Amino acid sequence: MKGLIRKWQKPLIICLLTVFCGCVSAQETQQQVKHQDLKQKTVVTEESDPYAQKIEPLTTRQCGQCHFSVFEKIRDNGGRHKIHCQECHTTFHSFRPGMTWSDVVPRCTTCHDEAHGPAFPDCLSCHTDPHAPINSLTNLDVLAKSCKTCHNRQGKEVTQYKSAHSEVACNECHHDRHGYRPDCTECHSEPHTGFVNNAGCMGCHPAHSPREINYPATTENQVCSECHAGVNQAFIKSSKKHASFKCVFCHSDRHGFIPDCSKCHGEPHSKKMMTRFKNNCTSCHGDPHSLTLE
Ligand code: HEC
Ligand code: HEC
Ligand code: HEC
Ligand code: HEC
Ligand code: HEC
Ligand code: HEC
Ligand code: HEC
Ligand code: HEC
Ligand code: HEC
Ligand code: HEC
Ligand code: HEC
Ligand code: HEC
């Protein structure tokens, strides 16, 4: 195709194009003029009769034009209350002197049942801002009176398993806002952080019963030996099979658990022999960590 457009044809094509485009833009200008005429006509109508138009109900955005701080709060912190203003405020701008405020503002129970049972009728005492119902749960003094009513299990845990934490108030740990989870290291100046960081603490100490020490079956011997160096030394010296095991293979389930030899070995020797030695395996085999026959 390119070959077909000869050098002398080029200026001609450009010339034709310019004429065509000129026509189009002229048409556009004419249309714009007409459009402006129309617009001016509409304005004239409205000015002469401001009641000619249908009135639409206010939209949520329009409420927000005056009540911007409320709008902003719902937008940023409203959670599942991001619904239209008028779903709650079926009436508004009706407050007059002599009226009670609670008569003009929406009631929670129009849409909700007693969410937490009959013990908690005064919704706004905790949900202090209806426009941010979850994020406004900051009234910890009020909440603290009822932690255990709603969190029965945790309440029982701290009383059943006596520890120093039983003396610490719920909201001393769960401070600032409802649902906050504290770091252990906020209060403990890192007792054995040589081998563990904050996230690891709860692998051994459950927060509400810290003396019920538990650990996972994957715990390395090195962790135990931080505190039981002697046992570890015995392991290093021993060539017996026990020394190749994980501490938690025998001391399973919870800290301090001592297994019975027979749990794994059953009855390796005759009854007669065992009665003579009062079933005491270690009187012959010695310390289970070194197994040196004595
Ligand atoms: C989930 C229901 C709900 C929604 C949605 C809601 N409100 Fe409210 N609003 C209330 C309640 C309840 C009160 C009364 C609070 C009180 O007694 O302190 C209130 C109070 C108000 C007040 C007076 C107190 C104040 O905070 O200034 C204004 C103004 C207001 N709402 C505007 C709005 C606007 C504007 C919207 C939408 C952008 C909106 N509300 C959406 C429930 C709602
Ligand atoms: C033109 C501005 C304007 C618009 C638009 C507006 N408000 Fe108001 N509103 C006010 C003023 C002014 C007050 C009284 C002073 C105050 O409480 O801030 C008020 C008070 C309120 C109150 C508390 C007192 C009462 O009598 O209810 C509520 C609730 C409320 N507005 C809700 C709304 C809702 C919902 C919308 C949208 C449907 C809306 N407003 C639209 C200006 C406006
Ligand atoms: C017009 C109906 C309406 C009113 C009135 C109303 N709510 Fe709600 N509320 C809802 C809806 C809808 C949801 C979302 C429910 C869902 O998703 O299951 C909700 C959710 C909530 C939530 C959970 C919010 C979240 O983000 O998870 C809380 C808390 C709540 N409402 C408290 C209140 C309180 C307190 C009041 C009174 C101040 C109130 N509501 C008034 C309709 C309402
Ligand atoms: C003693 C304080 C307190 C009172 C009073 C209270 N609430 Fe709550 N409410 C809470 C707390 C705390 C939550 C849990 C918030 C969370 O999920 O983090 C909650 C959660 C909710 C939820 C969300 C539940 C869910 O499973 O998503 C709704 C809805 C709710 N409240 C409505 C109400 C209503 C309605 C009232 C009044 C009848 C009320 N609350 C009274 C403290 C209170
Ligand atoms: C009115 C009932 C109610 C009260 C009072 C209450 N909570 Fe809750 N709490 C809830 C509900 C509902 C949830 C969310 C559902 C759940 O995880 O059980 C929750 C969740 C929590 C969570 C877990 C949050 C997460 O991220 O999983 C913690 C921690 C908590 N509450 C601590 C407290 C403490 C501490 C108090 C007292 C200061 C308290 N709560 C008072 C109802 C309540
Ligand atoms: C010494 C600090 C401390 C105290 C005291 C405490 N908690 Fe906790 N709580 C925590 C920590 C840390 C977690 C997070 C546990 C996790 O992530 O495994 C937690 C978790 C929770 C949870 C979330 C669910 C769960 O069991 O993991 C609830 C609910 C809770 N606590 C309620 C309470 C209540 C109610 C009290 C008072 C009876 C209380 N806590 C006292 C530190 C504490
Ligand atoms: C709000 C402060 C606070 C937080 C957070 C906290 N503790 Fe404590 N804890 C204490 C106090 C106070 C004591 C008693 C004095 C002491 O031993 O330092 C204690 C004692 C303990 C004890 C010894 C228990 C006993 O009865 O002797 C253990 C174990 C413990 N905490 C572990 C933890 C772990 C793990 C965490 C994180 C889940 C944690 N703590 C979070 C305040 C806290
Ligand atoms: C491998 C398990 C394990 C891990 C992980 C662990 N601990 Fe311990 N912790 C223990 C054992 C075992 C004791 C001693 C219990 C005893 O005295 O009966 C202990 C004791 C404590 C004590 C009481 C100290 C005293 O002098 O009475 C505190 C406080 C404590 N741990 C906090 C923590 C904190 C905080 C973390 C996380 C940084 C943590 N622990 C991680 C196993 C662990
Ligand atoms: C933070 C230090 C610490 C760590 C880590 C630790 N222990 Fe202990 N352990 C102790 C203390 C202190 C005692 C003695 C206090 C007692 O009798 O509860 C003890 C006692 C024991 C006992 C003997 C209980 C009895 O009745 O004589 C066994 C078994 C034990 N630990 C095993 C382990 C194992 C296995 C691990 C590793 C998974 C481990 N320990 C990790 C501090 C620790
Ligand atoms: C093959 C099983 C087994 C293994 C593996 C094992 N233990 Fe033991 N451990 C025992 C038995 C059984 C006892 C009780 C001895 C007794 O009754 O005299 C014991 C006692 C203990 C005691 C208390 C008495 C003492 O010797 O101080 C501690 C602490 C202990 N073990 C720590 C450890 C540690 C740490 C490891 C890992 C380095 C470990 N154990 C590995 C079986 C084992
Ligand atoms: C949790 C299980 C477990 C417990 C508890 C346990 N053992 Fe063992 N023990 C083993 C296993 C597994 C072997 C290796 C068996 C094999 O390879 O045939 C072993 C090996 C032995 C051997 C042979 C050692 C060797 O190197 O050939 C002796 C002796 C022995 N155990 C004695 C004891 C005594 C005594 C106790 C109690 C103080 C005890 N065991 C507790 C699991 C256990
Ligand atoms: C009177 C001393 C004596 C008593 C008590 C004793 N043993 Fe032994 N046991 C021995 C002798 C000796 C051997 C054989 C030498 C060896 O294998 O080291 C042996 C061997 C074993 C073996 C290794 C068998 C093998 O295949 O290598 C096991 C496992 C064992 N004993 C477990 C136990 C257990 C568990 C108890 C307690 C119920 C116990 N013994 C009590 C003296 C004793």
Side-chain angles (χ1 to χ4, degrees):
M1 275 297 278
K2 260 186 199 166
L4 291 177
I5 304 171
R6 299 213 181 98
K7 258 189 189 159
W8 63 266
Q9 284 175 329
K10 258 192 191 166
L12 186 69
I13 290 169
I14 290 167
C15 185
L16 281 171
L17 271 173
T18 319
V19 171
F20 177 71
C21 291
C23 286
V24 171
S25 59
Q27 263 180 340
E28 265 178 9
T29 331
Q30 271 175 354
Q31 269 173 359
Q32 271 166 8
V33 171
K34 268 188 200 161
H35 205 73
Q36 259 169 13
D37 277 355
L38 265 171
K39 250 194 187 170
Q40 263 158 13
K41 264 178 205 153
T42 322
V43 172
V44 168
T45 318
E46 201 187 338
E47 264 172 5
S48 59
D49 183 4
Y51 299 94
Q53 285 201 332
K54 221 180 123 209
I55 293 293
E56 302 291 345
L58 287 173
T59 63
T60 294
R61 239 179 88 225
Q62 285 164 333
C63 305
Q65 284 175 345
C66 291
H67 297 290
F68 185 66
S69 63
V70 175
F71 182 87
E72 201 179 27
K73 195 175 286 159
I74 301 180
R75 184 192 64 199
D76 298 340
N77 290 301
R80 287 185 280 162
H81 267 186
K82 274 191 216 167
I83 53 181
H84 288 296
C85 310
Q86 290 182 73
E87 284 185 49
C88 286
H89 294 283
T90 46
T91 59
F92 53 96
H93 298 174
S94 52
F95 188 59
R96 301 285 176 274
M99 288 175 117
T100 27
W101 180 249
S102 58
D103 288 340
V104 299
V105 292
R107 284 173 203 278
C108 311
T109 44
T110 325
C111 303
H112 294 284
D113 293 332
E114 289 169 329
H116 320 287
F120 301 104
D122 185 5
C123 314
L124 286 168
S125 67
C126 293
H127 301 281
T128 54
D129 191 335
H131 305 127
I134 296 290
N135 279 319
S136 66
L137 285 168
T138 47
N139 206 344
L140 281 188
D141 288 341
V142 175
L143 281 170
K145 292 190 192 116
S146 317
C147 305
K148 292 179 191 175
T149 315
C150 293
H151 299 293
N152 198 275
R153 179 170 64 77
Q154 288 81 3
K156 277 192 184 140
E157 269 166 15
V158 293
T159 36
Q160 188 182 342
Y161 303 103
K162 280 276 168 233
S163 79
H165 282 187
S166 312
E167 309 302 319
V168 181
C170 309
N171 57 327
E172 262 184 70
C173 282
H174 300 284
H175 53 78
D176 285 347
R177 59 174 174 81
H178 177 257
Y180 173 80
R181 290 168 189 244
D183 275 357
C184 310
T185 46
E186 280 177 28
C187 299
H188 295 286
S189 47
E190 322 200 343
H192 24 263
T193 40
F195 62 90
V196 69
N197 60 15
N198 171 69
C201 305
M202 281 165 275
C204 287
H205 301 282
H208 304 128
S209 50
R211 292 171 68 94
E212 301 302 303
I213 299 167
N214 255 303
Y215 32 71
T218 48
T219 307
E220 296 296 340
N221 290 5
Q222 179 206 335
V223 167
C224 312
S225 64
E226 288 288 335
C227 301
H228 299 291
V231 180
N232 203 46
Q233 281 303 314
F235 259 33
I236 290 165
K237 285 184 197 139
S238 172
S239 56
K240 299 286 184 182
K241 283 179 181 150
H242 277 187
S244 63
F245 300 154
K246 279 207 159 105
C247 311
V248 291
F249 173 64
C250 291
H251 300 288
S252 49
D253 300 334
R254 60 175 174 79
H255 182 241
F257 170 73
I258 303 271
D260 243 6
C261 310
S262 54
K263 184 187 156 199
C264 302
H265 292 294
E267 293 174 14
H269 303 299
S270 74
K271 272 222 164 72
K272 207 170 143 206
M273 171 180 153
M274 286 317 295
T275 328
R276 189 132 57 94
F277 287 90
K278 296 182 179 134
N279 273 327
N280 192 347
C281 315
T282 48
S283 66
C284 287
H285 288 286
D287 182 59
H289 307 118
S290 42
L291 287 180
T292 37
L293 265 177
E294 280 165 3

